[in-house]
């Protein structure tokens, strides 16, 4: 990981949005009122929001200008034609289906192609991809490479395990596999990138067995940057050329354009299969809108057409990825163990290691999330046993998540390095009193996706904290 030295922001600020740090007393009140669930705090009461990098990017002057060019016609809008051309150029596919975000692309796809009991194989499914697969009667299988679990700072820990992939297909039969998906970068595995070599290998296996091979490419440009920087043979290739090679290897893509579309809303499917395009757009018209707008306004399509090109700018990507690395370096320097190397969009803190006094059933990740808010008005998210603990159907016992992590996702073009230094100072103050951090218990929860809405209570109650 790089220390200190990194490029400065390749943009200057034209419009600002004020943010406010509430007093410590107010923050304590707010988190208590939210029953220690950070999703229930209003954004007005947050100083620095690292909940997600999705839909949170700052638009460029070119994107704001494009907004005014929006053609809001129901059918055949000029804005769609512009968007379609850009998507075809970058993603190298004949047919483009707009929709309003990534999970709709997944819903359309799996509603259309999945038969009950079929498998979807992925390097690692993102939650909504997994949920959409299960919802349509499919079985979601993750095949991450072995290095994904290593604590060494290896490149391309987002890869798929090709040996296991081929074994799986042989064992279960190609007809049982509805689709192979490569998620770039691999969000659920620390935002780690996938190498071009791995993509070619998976593509070869998929095509040999006649299985459709798609990308979940929410962060494709960040992945291309890692290929250029770390994979032999790519240093001198421009990012758009790397993207072309990437997308020539697949049959189609599903994209949440709220990440590397540099937009606040949007998504799409792009593919070459005309017959499938027909079936997908039949459903699109029922649930999203006509073929040429799919739940988006014309101005959104204009913004995306600009954003998808801007995101491949080398200087932008260089700053972006190095800023995440700098962030990771500062958090580590403050004494918090992190997943290394840092990936493309977030720093993941290992709260289980930082807070060994709190067992998984008392949610060390959540304890750290609460503390970041109390100490500095910072919103992060637990990616541990609140989100992923499972009940063993045989024994009825609760199996904790593999790791108790906290994700600090960095919105694109939003926070400066001075914000990052502030976050690191807050981290340092938390580390200094980490032994006093309490565990939590869930007092109310829903059956599915409980992390969004559950209520918690602190175990070692420190009532005096909330006094003025
Ligand atoms: N695929 C990946 C890899 C994602 O990271 C996400 C969203 C989606 C699909 C779904 O897209 O939100 O537009 O419907 N990830 C966000 C996150 C929510 O915070 O990581 P969406």
């Amino acid at each position: 990981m790089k220390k200190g030295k990194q490029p400065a922001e390749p943009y200057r600020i034209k419009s600002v949005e004020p943010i406010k740090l509430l007093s410590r007393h107010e923050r304590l009140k707010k988190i208590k009122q939210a029953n220690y669930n950070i999703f229930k705090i209003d954004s007005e009461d947050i100083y620095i929001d690292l909940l997600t990098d999705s839909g949170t990017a700052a638009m460029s002057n070119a994107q704001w200008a494009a907004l005014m060019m929006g053609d809001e016609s129901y059918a055949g809008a000029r804005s769609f034609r512009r968007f379609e051309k850009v998507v075809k150029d970058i993603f190298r596919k004949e047919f483009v289906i707009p929709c309003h975000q990534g999970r709709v692309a997944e819903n359309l796809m799996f509603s259309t192609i999945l038969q009950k009991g079929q498998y979807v194989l992925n390097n690692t499914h993102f939650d909504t991809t997994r949920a959409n697969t299960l919802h349509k009667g499919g079985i979601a299988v993750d095949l991450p490479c072995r290095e994904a679990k290593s604590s060494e700072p290896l490149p391309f820990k987002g890869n798929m395990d090709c040996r296991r992939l081929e074994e799986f297909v042989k064992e279960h039969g190609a007809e049982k596999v509805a689709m192979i998906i490569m998620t770039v970068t691999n969000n659920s595995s620390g935002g780690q990138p996938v190498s071009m070599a791995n993509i070619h290998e998976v593509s070869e296996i998929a095509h040999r067995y006649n299985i459709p091979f798609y990308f979940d490419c929410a962060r494709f440009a960040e992945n291309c940057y890692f290929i250029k920087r770390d994979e032999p043979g790519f240093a001198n290739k421009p990012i758009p050329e790397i993207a072309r090679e990437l997308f020539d290897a697949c049959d189609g893509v599903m994209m949440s354009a709220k990440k590397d579309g540099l937009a606040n809303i949007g998504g799409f499917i792009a593919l070459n299969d005309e017959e499938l395009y027909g079936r997908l757009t039949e459903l699109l018209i029922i649930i999203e809108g006509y073929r040429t707008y799919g739940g988006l306004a014309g101005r959104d399509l204009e913004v995306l057409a600009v954003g998808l090109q801007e995101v491949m700018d080398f200087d932008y990507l260089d700053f972006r990825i190095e800023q995440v690395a700098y962030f990771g370096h500062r958090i580590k320097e403050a004494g918090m163990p992190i997943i290394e190397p840092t990936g493309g969009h977030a720093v993941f803190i290992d709260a289980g290691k930082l807070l060994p006094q709190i067992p998984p059933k008392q949610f060390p990740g959540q304890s750290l999330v609460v503390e970041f808010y109390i100490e500095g008005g910072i919103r992060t998210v637990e990616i541990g046993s609140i989100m992923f603990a499972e009940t063993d159907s045989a024994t009825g016992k609760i199996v904790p998540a593999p790791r108790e992590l906290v994700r600090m996702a960095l919105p694109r073009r939003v926070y400066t390095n001075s914000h990052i230094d502030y976050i690191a100072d807050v981290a340092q103050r938390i580390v200094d009193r980490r032994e006093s951090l309490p565990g939590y218990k869930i007092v109310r929860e829903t059956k599915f996706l409980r992390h969004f809405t559950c209520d918690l209570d602190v175990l070692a109650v420190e009532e005096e904290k909330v006094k003025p």
Side-chain angles (χ1 to χ4, degrees):
M1 188 176 299
K2 257 194 191 170
K3 282 196 184 171
K5 196 172 158 290
Q6 90 219 66
E9 287 83 350
Y11 41 81
R12 57 187 175 184
I13 296 164
K14 201 179 200 108
S15 172
V16 295
E17 182 181 4
I19 47 175
K20 199 171 84 194
L21 179 61
L22 298 181
S23 72
R24 189 183 181 86
H25 171 61
E26 284 172 309
R27 299 197 299 268
L28 279 161
K29 235 169 66 184
K30 294 283 179 195
I31 193 78
K32 216 178 164 202
Q33 277 167 2
N35 293 315
Y36 302 98
N37 186 334
I38 203 85
F39 283 97
K40 295 187 183 177
I41 295 191
D42 282 348
S43 69
E44 267 202 347
D45 300 329
I46 305 281
Y47 183 47
I48 295 185
D49 203 344
L50 307 176
L51 187 60
T52 182
D53 64 318
S54 179
T56 51
M59 294 207 296
S60 66
N61 53 355
Q63 284 177 297
W64 283 107
L67 206 82
M68 287 302 292
M69 301 306 291
D71 171 1
E72 306 302 343
S73 306
Y74 191 95
R78 193 176 56 234
S79 301
F80 174 71
R81 292 297 167 220
R82 212 167 348 245
F83 168 76
E84 184 187 37
K85 181 174 182 322
V86 169
V87 173
K88 279 182 172 182
D89 279 356
I90 300 172
F91 299 90
R92 320 271 290 165
K93 304 290 169 254
E94 225 10 74
F95 302 101
V96 180
I97 304 171
C99 58
H100 83 268
Q101 62 181 75
R103 67 199 70 184
V104 183
E106 295 157 4
N107 185 346
L108 287 165
M109 182 59 79
F110 298 136
S111 300
T112 307
I113 63 152
L114 254 186
Q115 287 162 23
K116 272 205 168 46
Q118 271 191 323
Y119 295 98
V120 176
L121 311 181
N122 204 315
N123 43 349
T124 317
H125 284 83
F126 179 68
D127 322 12
T128 59
T129 328
R130 184 186 314 278
N132 271 301
T133 302
L134 300 180
H135 195 247
K136 308 298 167 218
I139 305 165
V141 178
D142 291 341
L143 298 169
C145 65
R146 281 176 197 197
E147 294 79 16
K149 281 205 187 112
S150 157
S151 53
E152 292 297 309
L154 304 165
F156 304 114
K157 280 177 167 181
N159 282 354
M160 193 181 283
D161 186 332
C162 291
R163 200 173 52 81
R164 278 177 65 207
L165 170 67
E166 186 151 13
E167 277 170 13
F168 191 98
V169 175
K170 276 188 187 154
E171 189 186 333
H172 297 268
E175 69 292 345
K176 289 281 283 177
V177 181
M179 182 172 273
I180 297 172
I181 300 178
M182 189 70 104
T183 305
V184 293
T185 56
N186 191 337
N187 184 10
S188 304
S189 187
Q192 300 293 320
V194 177
S195 72
M196 190 70 87
N198 190 248
I199 284 160
H200 283 310
E201 211 177 328
V202 171
S203 170
E204 190 278 317
I205 295 170
H207 293 125
R208 184 147 42 84
Y209 287 95
N210 221 2
I211 301 169
F213 176 42
Y214 274 63
F215 280 109
D216 174 352
C217 62
R219 301 176 180 85
F220 76 96
E222 291 173 2
N223 202 97
C224 288
Y225 176 88
F226 282 108
I227 290 175
K228 182 176 171 73
R229 195 189 70 181
D230 298 336
E231 191 163 351
F234 289 91
N236 296 323
K237 290 196 177 159
I239 297 287
E241 198 181 315
I242 297 173
R244 274 200 290 280
E245 185 173 338
L246 200 79
F247 295 119
D248 276 343
C250 71
D251 301 303
V253 305
M254 291 177 276
M255 178 160 181
S256 164
K258 297 172 72 175
K259 287 84 169 167
D260 272 355
L262 294 177
N264 304 121
I265 197 74
F268 59 88
I269 299 175
L271 73 171
N272 280 334
D273 181 338
E274 188 166 8
E275 189 269 333
L276 182 55
Y277 167 77
R279 288 198 289 146
L280 289 166
T281 50
E282 205 179 316
L283 182 57
L284 182 83
I285 294 172
I286 298 170
I287 66 172
E288 281 279 272
Y290 187 61
R291 282 177 166 181
T292 57
Y293 76 88
L296 291 168
R299 55 181 171 273
D300 298 328
L301 295 165
E302 294 282 351
V303 160
L304 281 169
V306 178
L308 286 166
Q309 295 177 87
E310 277 182 358
V311 78
M312 292 193 292
D313 176 68
F314 178 80
D315 291 340
Y316 158 75
L317 283 170
D318 193 34
F319 174 73
R320 163 82 179 158
I321 303 299
E322 294 306 333
Q323 189 184 39
V324 174
Y326 173 69
F327 188 14
H329 164 68
R330 291 297 324 266
I331 294 294
K332 195 179 164 195
E333 202 176 49
M336 292 196 175
I338 62 165
I339 294 192
E340 290 182 271
T342 44
H345 68 291
V347 173
F348 291 75
I349 302 167
D350 193 331
K353 270 196 197 150
L354 178 72
L355 306 171
Q357 79 275 19
I358 306 176
K361 63 174 192 251
Q362 294 181 12
F363 311 123
Q366 191 63 15
S367 181
L368 187 57
V369 166
V370 170
E371 225 53 36
F372 264 113
Y373 181 70
I374 294 174
E375 189 62 45
I378 299 163
R379 174 151 62 181
T380 58
V381 65
E382 191 253 20
I383 304 202
S385 287
I386 294 189
M387 211 179 250
F388 290 129
E390 283 175 3
T391 309
D392 186 313
S393 52
T395 63
K397 279 198 177 151
I398 292 173
V399 185
R403 276 187 292 194
E404 302 298 330
L405 302 178
V406 168
R407 185 181 82 169
M408 302 174 116
L410 208 54
R412 295 170 179 78
R413 304 192 291 209
V414 171
Y415 294 117
T416 65
N417 287 344
S418 144
H419 288 114
I420 286 176
D421 291 337
Y422 168 83
I423 301 163
D425 289 346
V426 171
Q428 177 72 67
R429 294 204 294 276
I430 296 174
V431 168
D432 290 346
R433 55 182 180 72
R434 63 181 180 278
E435 276 144 26
S436 67
L437 264 55
Y440 287 80
K441 64 175 178 192
I442 293 180
V443 293
R444 196 192 61 78
E445 63 183 298
T446 50
K447 201 165 164 209
F448 295 104
L449 302 173
R450 66 177 178 177
H451 55 282
F452 287 121
T453 54
C454 67
D455 291 331
L456 297 118
D457 208 352
V458 65
L459 280 170
V461 186
E462 293 174 86
E463 285 297 338
E464 72 278 7
K465 268 189 179 177
V466 288
K467 286 185 193 144

